[in-house]
Amino acid sequence: MKTMLLWPEGAPGALGTSDEDCPAITPYLVEGDKNAAVLVCPGGGYGMRADHEGGPVAEWLNTLGISAFVLRYRVAPYGYPHALRDAQRALRTIRYRAEEYGVDPDRLGILGFSAGGHLASAAGVLFDAGDEEASEPLERKSCRPDLLILCYPVISMAEGVTHQGSRENQLGTDPDPELVKRLSSELQVTAATPPAFLWHTSDDGAVPVENSLQFAAALSRHRIPFDLHVYAHGQHGLGLAGGEPHTRSWTEACASWLALNGYTK
């Protein structure tokens, strides 16, 4: 299926009409009905979106019998809340069009790499059940993902832990401390946060492993089920890590976890 604009009449706050101003999803569908689905958020420091963390990841999910949707979310010069709003709109859209896409609206996860991992984690802690009074039926749908897959994610916006480029692209150079707190996903975990799978490398030179560790600790405190995999070595931005004999096993671990959660066939 072709890429579909999330707001065909123009996105809220759009600065123009180019592709970069028009958030969209590209479906990668598997055959059948009531398939599990995952929204894929490529990384790129909220300044771009890395191709190798988009389509190839969706195709890998397809091999597991999972339909996937790659999100084209807005990046700099767009800051908060535009990317989050795009992700939330995508989740509502997939649920609203679930029958058309052949997916199960109650088995809809979100996966993100690096800054896309921050976006995915934010979607998992800053969600709503939809607006019952909305004039647009789509906006009445929940934007809560049913599970999270976070790959070397930026989680925190706190100094010393965050990825500085992601923080500046989202919040600017002198952000409101309350906004820093709101966008630090480890501080927003509740009992309603979805189960999560996380992986990171301990020597990641761009996004400190503390991001994943702090999120996992917050999940543990709230008794949210999670898988956490920390590999000894590996540069940032590995994606599927096909050329890495050790870290590439994350895909097998994730597939096992997805099966445990009833997402694979």
Side-chain angles (χ1 to χ4, degrees):
M1 298 182 73
K2 294 183 178 179
T3 296
M4 190 193 87
L5 297 181
L6 294 175
W7 285 277
E9 306 304 317
L15 303 174
T17 56
S18 74
D19 284 353
E20 289 301 312
D21 302 300
C22 300
I25 50 174
T26 301
Y28 289 72
L29 304 179
V30 295
E31 292 184 1
D33 297 317
K34 289 285 186 177
N35 295 302
V38 172
L39 178 66
V40 178
C41 306
Y46 283 118
M48 49 86 74
R49 294 174 307 279
D51 289 342
H52 74 290
E53 295 169 347
V57 177
E59 291 169 353
W60 164 68
L61 288 165
N62 286 171
T63 69
L64 304 177
I66 299 171
S67 288
F69 300 79
V70 177
L71 176 63
R72 184 174 78 205
Y73 59 93
R74 283 174 284 183
V75 298
Y78 292 97
Y80 176 77
H82 296 292
L84 180 59
R85 184 176 293 175
D86 298 345
Q88 292 173 334
R89 177 76 172 191
L91 291 163
R92 297 190 212 278
T93 297
I94 296 165
R95 284 207 168 98
Y96 182 70
R97 302 182 68 165
E99 185 173 354
E100 173 189 346
Y101 289 137
V103 303
D104 182 350
D106 297 320
R107 289 189 298 154
L108 174 57
I110 189 168
L111 180 158
F113 294 86
S114 192
H118 179 266
L119 178 56
S121 73
V125 296
L126 302 174
F127 55 81
D128 61 65
D131 180 2
E132 292 183 357
E133 305 300 321
S135 58
E136 186 181 10
L138 186 156
E139 286 293 327
R140 299 172 198 162
K141 294 294 184 180
S142 168
C143 63
R144 179 188 182 272
D146 295 305
L147 55 71
L148 312 176
I149 302 171
L150 309 176
C151 310
Y152 42 85
V154 180
I155 293 291
S156 183
M157 287 288 146
E159 291 277 8
V161 181
T162 192
H163 174 251
Q164 197 63 29
S166 297
R167 171 177 152 131
E168 291 184 4
N169 281 332
Q170 276 293 279
L171 304 180
T173 56
D174 186 25
D176 181 335
E178 287 303 310
L179 199 53
V180 170
K181 181 178 178 181
R182 177 171 174 79
L183 270 292
S184 293
S185 296
E186 79 280 11
L187 302 179
Q188 304 301 329
V189 172
T190 70
T193 301
F197 177 97
L198 302 100
W199 78 273
H200 221 116
T201 59
S202 63
D203 62 352
D204 190 317
V207 177
V209 69
E210 283 79 8
N211 283 272
S212 286
L213 298 178
Q214 289 184 14
F215 194 70
L219 294 171
S220 180
R221 285 193 295 272
H222 289 85
R223 300 189 177 183
I224 305 297
F226 67 92
D227 254 33
L228 171 64
H229 300 261
V230 179
Y231 299 90
H233 302 296
Q235 66 183 22
H236 188 74
L238 288 174
L240 293 173
E244 300 287 330
H246 182 49
T247 50
R248 71 183 180 193
S249 66
W250 84 262
T251 55
E252 296 173 15
C254 187
S256 174
W257 181 80
L258 285 164
L260 183 69
N261 284 276
Y263 272 60
T264 60
K265 291 185 175 179

